[in-house]
Each structure stands twice: as structure tokens, then as C-alpha cells.
Amino acid sequence: PSFTYASLIGQAILAHPEKRMSLNAIYSWIIAAYPYFQRDSAGWMNSIRHNLSLNPSFVKRSRDGGEPVGKGQLWTIEAGCEVQFVGGKYKKA
């Protein structure tokens, strides 16, 4: 795909009805949307984690009481940063 990892993460999160996803859900969305990643090594998963951790547009939020049980927190896009993902591509502010 001709998208950066940040773009792929943004696409996944914005496609979710609640605009937040677990790390595993982000992986699953990317694999479903871009079958290329099924053939690739797991190295791309490291890049996804790296982008989530270092890009200030992505933030972790605690699970609400109504969330499905699972480990870890949910990733979302920082309020006001959604405009950086228009058209599925990430643009730094």
C-alpha cells in the first residue's frame, strides 16, 4: 500500500464506530483491508506499535465498563487531530 503506517492506523481507528480500537483490532483491520500484510513478515506490526507510541496524534484511553473484556487499553486519535487523516492519508500539523 502507498500509505504510511500512521495513515493505516488512522484509517483503522476512523473506520471503527467508536473511533477507538485495541492494538490487536488495529492489526486485524489492516490485514483485512490490505491483504499484502498477510504475506509480509510480522515486522510491520513492530512499525505499527512504534507509530502508536511515538506519534502524538495517537493516544491510549482506558476501557469503559461497557467495553468488551480484553487486555490493554484502546487507541484513539487525539481530539482535534482527526483533520490530519483526511482522505486516508496522514499529514503532520
Side-chain angles (χ1 to χ4, degrees):
S2 61
F3 295 105
T4 64
Y5 289 114
S7 295
L8 296 173
I9 296 165
Q11 289 174 30
I13 292 172
L14 292 172
H16 192 272
E18 300 206 9
K19 308 292 187 247
R20 55 188 178 181
M21 301 175 83
S22 67
L23 178 60
N24 195 44
I26 292 170
Y27 292 153
S28 295
W29 187 93
I30 291 171
I31 289 168
Y34 298 98
Y36 163 83
F37 288 104
Q38 291 178 331
R39 295 186 307 270
D40 199 12
S41 69
W44 66 271
M45 292 180 184
N46 288 333
S47 296
I48 294 296
R49 285 192 304 275
H50 179 80
N51 273 264
L52 284 167
S53 297
L54 296 180
N55 189 321
S57 298
F58 303 118
V59 291
K60 284 192 274 188
R61 301 281 186 231
S62 297
R63 292 178 184 262
D64 294 337
E67 298 283 350
V69 176
K71 75 180 203 181
Q73 296 179 321
L74 300 175
W75 288 96
T76 190
I77 296 174
E78 181 70 63
C81 292
E82 297 88 354
V83 297
Q84 295 176 299
F85 297 93
V86 174
K89 295 200 179 223
Y90 171 70
K91 295 179 186 163
K92 287 184 180 181

